[in-house]
Amino acid sequence: MYRKTCNRCSQPSYSSTKIGGWICPVCNQDLTQLKARDPNDPRDMPRNDYQTDKLRVRYKQQPDHPPAFSVYV
């Protein structure tokens, strides 16, 4: 699918073809004169330049029993 980003509302708009009129579905702005991005544009591909192993967070599981003391005021 081809994509254009609206200048007025900054929302993406998608179409299966580049030809013909193109109207923003959110604000009805005419997007016909804007350049459409190709489906295989590298800017639209997901990035994998970070290591997911370093983003994992490890939590220490807490015991299920209540604490040995409690505070009463």
Side-chain angles (χ1 to χ4, degrees):
M1 295 185 79
Y2 297 98
R3 184 178 86 176
K4 292 184 181 184
T5 303
C6 180
N7 292 337
R8 184 187 295 169
C9 67
S10 301
Q11 296 297 315
S13 176
Y14 298 94
S15 178
S16 60
T17 181
K18 287 182 176 181
I19 59 174
W22 197 320
I23 305 295
C24 176
V26 178
C27 67
N28 295 326
Q29 174 80 9
D30 185 17
L31 305 177
T32 307
Q33 299 301 321
L34 294 178
K35 184 176 179 181
R37 283 185 162 178
D38 292 328
N40 294 326
D41 192 331
R43 293 174 286 187
D44 293 334
M45 298 301 220
R47 295 180 61 185
N48 195 12
D49 60 348
Y50 56 90
Q51 295 178 359
T52 56
D53 295 325
K54 292 185 178 180
L55 297 177
R56 290 186 187 155
V57 178
R58 295 192 175 115
Y59 294 98
K60 181 180 177 185
Q61 186 173 358
Q62 298 296 319
D64 291 334
H65 57 81
F69 64 93
S70 61
V71 178
Y72 292 101
V73 179

